[in-house]
Amino acid sequence: MAFATRAPLRPTPQGVTVWFTGLPSAGKTTIANLVGDRLAERDHPVELLDGDVVRTHLSRGLGFSKADRDENIRRIGYVAGLLTGHGVTVLVSAISPYRAVRDEVRAAVEQVGGFVEVHVATDLATCRSRDVKGLYARQARGELRGLTGVDDPYEAPLAAELVLDTAGEPTEASAARVLALLDGRPAPELVGSGS
């Protein structure tokens, strides 16, 4: 049985998914929250999909094998695509360590709206020093295996629309660069880049 589709009553502005990827404690969620707050101040429809929160609710029961990690990212991508298709700016904050599944999600979301990949490329030493969730300490004590960037791979994006380094600039400045990109303005130069 086929279902008829109706045209929307009014045009919906194109949504966009902004996908923040990077190592644990790189600053993905902090930046996404700042961007979300600024967009909300403009009365812009925005939703944040945090990898840890999604794992608790939508992906409960998945482990940390490559297959389970990929499935978790596909689920996040599916929800992001639904929201993007309704004109929402979706801010996804997820380690998403494997390039192929990120590219798969990009292709799916681009069928309904925009997709911007933001690589929060903070170095491992800085991430270790922050250790927001205690993951690096647990790994060092032998209590955790398969930590992305330490004993499990992280495949950095090859052509992210924006690369941020929170070791080299304040998170507010990183958020401002994301907002400039979304506004169609050139992103301010990286603080201290010498350019």
Side-chain angles (χ1 to χ4, degrees), residues 86-177:
H86 287 281
V88 176
T89 296
V90 184
L91 306 173
V92 175
S93 170
I95 295 168
S96 41
Y98 306 117
R99 192 178 299 123
V101 76
R102 288 193 314 263
D103 291 346
E104 178 185 320
V105 167
R106 174 193 286 271
V109 172
E110 284 180 337
Q111 293 180 25
V112 296
F115 188 95
V116 174
E117 188 172 42
V118 178
H119 181 201
V120 185
T122 308
D123 64 274
L124 181 60
T126 301
C127 294
R128 274 187 204 270
S129 70
R130 291 178 182 159
D131 203 10
V132 177
K133 297 173 191 131
L135 298 175
Y136 294 101
R138 287 180 56 211
Q139 192 275 337
R141 292 191 301 265
E143 299 168 5
L144 178 68
R145 296 184 58 161
L147 181 59
T148 301
V150 178
D151 56 357
D152 203 67
Y154 176 76
E155 299 170 355
L158 299 177
E161 281 78 5
L162 188 60
V163 177
L164 304 174
D165 180 0
T166 62
E169 73 178 346
T171 53
E172 285 279 0
S174 293
R177 295 177 69 216

Side-chain angles (χ1 to χ4, degrees), residues 34-49:
L34 288 169
V35 171
D37 290 346
R38 300 303 169 269
L39 291 173
E41 288 168 4
R42 301 177 187 176
D43 292 324
H44 188 87
V46 61
E47 288 292 336
L48 176 63
L49 298 178

